[in-house]
Amino acid sequence: MPADEERHRESVVLLEIIAASRLNPAFAPVVRQMASNLHQVLAEAITTMGAADPAREAVRLAALISGLSLKAVTPHGSVEPATIRAVLEAHVAEL
């Protein structure tokens, strides 16, 4: 998550790698593995919270993370780190 300047730069690089994987098959396995790892970590964390469907909630949370990250690092986005944290905290509290 682009919560500070260093993470912002990392998020830009990550999004570039994801975009490159659509045109360069060499990146595809790495991108698939990153997505799988993220889903697994989120599902495990959500399971400990007692959610009824951790796998589905992991997909929802990953989509929220992806969308917020994209909005934060693209020129049309203007989501501040404090807003990202607040939105994620609210979402997790609802689980």
Side-chain angles (χ1 to χ4, degrees):
M1 290 299 309
D4 56 37
E5 189 57 38
E6 181 179 356
R7 302 306 176 287
H8 186 274
R9 287 189 302 272
E10 291 171 356
S11 294
V12 169
V13 171
L14 175 61
L15 289 172
E16 292 296 331
I17 291 170
I18 291 169
S21 74
R22 295 191 52 133
L23 301 173
N24 185 337
F27 290 110
V30 172
V31 170
R32 280 193 300 274
Q33 187 64 53
M34 286 188 303
S36 176
N37 291 349
L38 176 62
H39 179 82
Q40 181 179 354
V41 167
L42 293 176
E44 289 173 5
I46 292 168
T47 296
T48 66
M49 300 171 67
D53 189 347
R56 183 190 64 165
E57 294 301 335
V59 170
R60 289 181 62 216
L61 183 53
L64 180 60
I65 290 168
S66 295
L68 289 169
S69 295
L70 182 65
K71 296 269 306 163
V73 301
T74 56
H76 71 278
S78 60
V79 178
E80 297 295 323
T83 301
I84 291 171
R85 280 190 292 278
V87 168
L88 287 173
E89 287 172 1
H91 180 80
V92 170
E94 292 172 0
L95 295 173

